[in-house]
Amino acid sequence: MTKQLIDQIEGEASIRFDMKENMVDFATIAFPHFRGMEAILEGKPALDALVVTPRVCGICGHAHLMASVRAMESAYADANEPVQLTAKADTIREVTLVLEMIQNHFKWIYLVIMPELAKLRPEKIALTPLKGAYAASLASKALASFAGQWPHSSYMLPGGVSCDPTHLERIKAQSLVDELISFFEKECAGTALDDFLAFDSCHDFNALESDIGEIERALTAAGMHKKGFAYDRFMVLGEHRFTNPAKVMQTRLLQADEKHVKTHSAYSPSEKTFAKNACYKDEFYECGPLSRAMASNVELIKSMHRRFKDSAYSRVMARIFETARLLDHARDMLGSLALNEDSLIPPKPITGISGCGVGVVEAPRGPLIHRVEIEEGIIKSYEIVTPTQWNIGSSVKENPTPAQLAMMGNVTMEEALFIFRTFDVCSVCTTH
């Protein structure tokens, strides 16, 4: 058995490998930190969750804020006090969530995937981490035009948002997104965004003389199109304009409902872990950009899936392609944002609300669920289910989680560590 600490992540995680003839026979994953955010919220005024939960994570705190405010609004509805939301407020929430996803994707590509891929194919990858940091800073600045700050913004409230952007602030955000798109075209893709989005085959990536072309060729040279397979079933639960909620079995789309999601204790016999596994009807599903693309019938990714299934290659390239789709989506939403509507329609004071609510959003890595029970404005219970709990749980060998399954079989430990990174671990979200 060999233990590997996972570095360059939010928080801490470790993997213990059982090796057989130099190949990974099994692996267990542990998250040794306890944080207790859910317990902290019990007994607190309900609106405190809008300040506390964005601090669950330093890289997807905005997604936590949106899940939390959706849970509050769901509790209002449960109390027969439905909340009204203008198209303006809904669009601003969606724009800022998408911008957070974009900054997250750029960091993952340049600060995680390229360095980890270089360990397998050092001659194929030129490391340029500052590109990821620069692109992420542009997205964060555009986000802060509406949210006031990033990370840990708390500008969403039941009934809307607290900001009331001017035309000048919208132009500033549009300018930052335009600059980011130009950066993507010149420094990442090596072609125009519209041309990139028109790709219909994996061969189109291979012809690029750019960072993305390098990544695609290195993934193939490392054999990642033949490794890293999980269950080939996917889960999307958040309702947004860029994806559709669905359970995807290979290519078959089925309805999915959050009520079937439950968590179970993780299996980690050699080390204490505070993580739980997330399941849908007691089965494991992969979530994240590849799942969203399959649920949205993105033609290029469906074509990729026909050739390479849910391999590590497909997982990486789907997230890169989603970055481009989200850039285009952010540009469109900013262009259509109507500023003449109200930002906030105040609902009844939450001190008069008793009910249960659920908020679901698609965070960068997949579905993020917040469940709350409120009694006269006070939180009785709060539960958070994060994407890493879906992808990177730790179970027994006979019923492995997606990440465990993807690392087992004809895979060396070095390859397994790269495959693990294709799911993109977030320890602090997992142990919240």
Side-chain angles (χ1 to χ4, degrees):
M1 178 180 291
T2 302
K3 178 179 178 179
Q4 286 282 333
L5 295 176
I6 306 302
D7 56 11
Q8 290 185 303
I9 62 171
E10 289 273 312
E12 294 180 0
S14 64
I15 309 176
R16 290 179 184 269
F17 289 106
D18 291 340
M19 305 299 293
K20 191 173 184 180
E21 297 179 354
N22 294 322
M23 295 293 173
V24 175
D25 186 52
F26 183 51
T28 55
I29 304 158
F31 295 90
H33 270 166
F34 175 73
R35 303 186 67 213
M37 290 288 192
E38 294 158 328
I40 288 171
L41 286 168
E42 292 179 7
K44 297 289 193 302
L47 296 184
D48 282 14
L50 304 180
V51 178
V52 174
T53 60
R55 285 157 175 80
V56 168
C57 183
I59 52 177
C60 60
H62 205 74
H64 281 281
L65 172 63
M66 193 164 175
S68 186
V69 79
R70 283 185 170 185
M72 298 291 164
E73 291 169 347
S74 172
Y76 268 93
D78 189 50
N80 292 319
E81 295 284 350
V83 173
Q84 302 298 314
L85 196 67
T86 64
K88 173 184 174 182
D90 185 58
T91 299
I92 290 174
R93 288 181 182 183
E94 186 89 346
V95 166
T96 51
L97 177 71
V98 165
L99 289 169
E100 181 176 77
M101 296 174 78
I102 291 170
Q103 67 83 24
N104 203 303
H105 287 5
F106 272 112
K107 284 181 180 173
W108 176 78
I109 293 166
Y110 281 96
L111 278 70
V112 176
I113 283 300
M114 292 180 75
E116 293 298 321
L117 191 53
K119 294 176 183 176
L120 301 178
R121 304 293 300 180
E123 76 283 11
K124 298 289 185 183
I125 292 288
L127 299 183
T128 51
L130 290 180
K131 285 187 180 181
Y134 176 71
S137 72
L138 290 176
S140 300
K141 288 177 183 176
L143 190 165
S145 300
F146 303 100
Q149 68 175 57
W150 189 89
H152 309 321
S153 54
S154 294
Y155 85 109
M156 297 183 198
L157 294 165
V161 294
S162 61
C163 67
D164 193 13
T166 64
H167 289 285
L168 187 61
E169 288 167 325
R170 179 174 66 171
I171 291 170
K172 177 184 174 184
Q174 287 177 306
S175 175
L176 287 164
V177 170
D178 287 344
E179 184 178 347
L180 184 50
I181 289 173
S182 296
F183 178 85
F184 176 83
E185 292 174 334
K186 181 179 179 182
E187 299 292 340
C188 309
T191 189
L193 179 65
D194 291 343
D195 293 340
F196 187 83
L197 290 172
F199 283 2
D200 58 10
S201 165
C202 300
H203 296 299
D204 295 325
F205 291 121
N206 191 261
L208 293 174
E209 294 298 327
S210 64
D211 293 345
I212 293 175
E214 279 189 14
I215 292 171
E216 197 274 345
R217 290 187 288 275
L219 285 168
T220 304
M224 287 299 145
H225 57 309
K226 300 177 181 176
K227 297 180 179 181
F229 301 101
Y231 287 103
D232 204 14
R233 59 188 186 220
F234 310 99
M235 183 62 62
V236 179
L237 292 171
E239 291 191 13
H240 301 281
R241 303 175 202 177
F242 56 86
T243 190
N244 305 307
K247 181 175 74 172
V248 187
M249 307 296 285
Q250 290 81 47
T251 57
R252 205 155 45 95
L253 269 61
L254 303 168
Q255 289 187 336
D257 192 322
E258 165 279 334
K259 69 181 182 183
H260 298 300
V261 177
K262 293 183 179 177
T263 59
H264 307 278
S265 296
Y267 174 74
S268 178
S270 303
E271 185 175 1
K272 177 71 175 177
T273 182
F274 292 94
K276 290 184 176 180
N277 302 333
C279 295
Y280 188 90
K281 293 185 177 179
D282 294 328
E283 290 190 320
F284 293 115
Y285 285 79
E286 178 173 346
C287 62
L290 176 58
S291 303
R292 290 192 285 266
M294 295 297 291
S296 301
N297 284 318
V298 176
E299 285 302 324
L300 172 66
I301 304 304
K302 288 178 65 180
S303 169
M304 185 183 297
H305 178 265
R306 281 192 289 274
R307 293 184 65 192
F308 304 133
K309 302 300 180 187
D310 57 338
S311 63
Y313 173 101
S314 298
R315 204 169 291 122
V316 171
M317 296 311 295
R319 190 161 179 179
I320 288 173
F321 197 69
E322 184 177 82
T323 305
R325 293 183 69 232
L326 293 177
L327 284 168
D328 188 53
H329 185 46
R331 178 173 59 185
D332 288 348
M333 284 193 293
L334 286 170
S336 63
L337 177 61
L339 298 181
N340 58 346
E341 295 183 331
D342 290 332
S343 293
L344 178 70
I345 301 176
K348 176 181 177 178
I350 203 165
T351 49
I353 296 299
S354 296
C356 296
V358 179
V360 186
V361 304
E362 284 296 312
R365 299 165 183 78
L368 171 65
I369 301 171
H370 283 214
R371 295 169 171 146
V372 66
E373 180 183 0
I374 301 170
E375 186 172 308
E376 295 182 350
I378 301 297
I379 295 172
K380 301 297 291 183
S381 66
Y382 206 100
E383 182 188 12
I384 300 172
V385 182
T386 68
T388 300
Q389 291 177 258
W390 287 93
N391 286 331
I392 311 182
S394 189
S395 183
V396 295
K397 187 176 181 180
E398 294 74 20
N399 183 32
T401 65
Q404 286 178 299
L405 180 59
M407 291 190 290
M408 293 165 61
N410 187 30
V411 174
T412 66
M413 190 167 65
E414 290 73 22
E415 291 170 334
L417 287 169
F418 175 77
I419 291 167
F420 181 78
R421 291 292 196 164
T422 64
F423 290 95
D424 194 15
V425 60
C426 184
S427 173
V428 290
C429 273
T430 303
T431 55
H432 49 270

